[in-house]
Amino acid sequence: PAAHATDMTSASITPRLTTDDDLLGMRLAHRVILRDVTRLRELADRMLADPSSFDRARYAATADYVGLFVASLHHHHNVEDLALWPLITSSAGPHVDFTELTDDHDELDPLLDELGECTRGLPDPAAVAGFARTLRTLSEHLHEHIADEERTVFPLITGHVSADAWQRFEKDAQRGGRADFDLTRFFAVMTEDE
């Protein structure tokens, strides 16, 4: 009985770690980013192939969507750099190095800004060509970056970050986002089980 009481005491003191299931929100965010950049890249290729199939309203709608996409991705990177990396470091220890992922953000963020600039010039053929070129580069970088991030960061979260800390982080991260834009995109990439 005394050993059992000790086991229960230590079990109640040890916080539950974040599980793989707890990472669904981040997985969905990554899935949405990759879906959007792929769809935008396909759209840019169609613009190049047949500019006459796009009227001014469609170019304007594209520019509006790209503006929201760029803002959402900047928010995502800021949350990771300013909140997630410090959370993991405080949980896993100072030996964790996020330099490569932060450097990726430093390369991706100017591409996002360039993408936004290109949309301001649509339907000019040079702007369309720049839009398509920037999306190709951005798409390649994002696919590689997200794969690296999930491979390196997710095990650190599930191995070291308490579930309570993760829930607080997610709640704080949602505060700066735009639910009217982000939520509908999340539903679009969810499986039936999710």
Side-chain angles (χ1 to χ4, degrees):
H4 179 69
T6 303
D7 288 344
M8 289 192 60
T9 304
S10 64
S12 64
I13 294 172
T14 304
R16 180 179 76 82
L17 289 176
T18 302
T19 66
D20 197 56
D21 289 343
D22 294 330
L23 298 179
L24 177 62
M26 193 156 182
R27 273 195 173 76
L28 290 173
H30 286 169
R31 218 181 289 163
V32 163
I33 291 165
L34 295 178
R35 177 180 179 262
D36 274 359
V37 76
T38 299
R39 291 176 69 215
L40 287 169
R41 185 176 174 176
E42 291 167 356
L43 181 71
D45 289 343
R46 286 195 304 275
M47 283 180 189
L48 280 174
D50 186 11
S52 65
S53 66
F54 291 79
D55 60 15
R56 289 212 176 267
R58 192 162 181 203
Y59 281 117
T62 299
D64 289 346
Y65 192 89
V66 167
L68 292 167
F69 171 72
V70 166
S72 178
L73 202 42
H74 276 311
H75 170 71
H76 182 82
H77 289 166
N78 286 335
V79 165
E80 288 177 341
D81 290 340
L82 302 176
L84 183 55
W85 303 165
L87 171 63
I88 295 170
T89 301
S90 71
S91 300
H95 63 280
V96 178
D97 183 10
F98 293 105
T99 303
E100 188 176 320
L101 294 172
T102 301
D103 288 349
D104 283 354
H105 291 172
D106 291 343
E107 290 176 22
L108 288 164
D109 287 341
L111 283 171
L112 290 170
D113 295 337
E114 185 179 321
L115 187 65
E117 284 297 316
C118 290
T119 62
R120 287 189 251 298
L122 297 177
D124 179 74
V128 172
F131 182 60
R133 186 176 51 253
T134 303
L135 274 165
R136 277 192 295 276
T137 304
L138 180 65
S139 178
E140 290 167 9
H141 283 295
L142 279 172
H143 278 85
E144 183 179 324
H145 171 72
I146 288 173
D148 287 346
E149 191 173 285
E150 290 187 358
R151 184 177 52 255
T152 59
V153 173
F154 284 13
L156 290 170
I157 295 168
T158 58
H160 300 282
V161 177
S162 75
D164 289 342
W166 180 253
Q167 287 173 351
R168 283 191 303 276
F169 161 76
E170 278 198 316
K171 198 171 282 189
D172 289 344
Q174 292 166 359
R175 285 197 182 107
R178 288 200 42 181
D180 62 333
F181 180 65
D182 292 326
L183 211 51
T184 55
R185 293 162 57 235
F186 272 46
F187 285 124
V189 299
M190 284 181 176
T191 66
E192 194 171 311
D193 289 341
E194 291 166 343

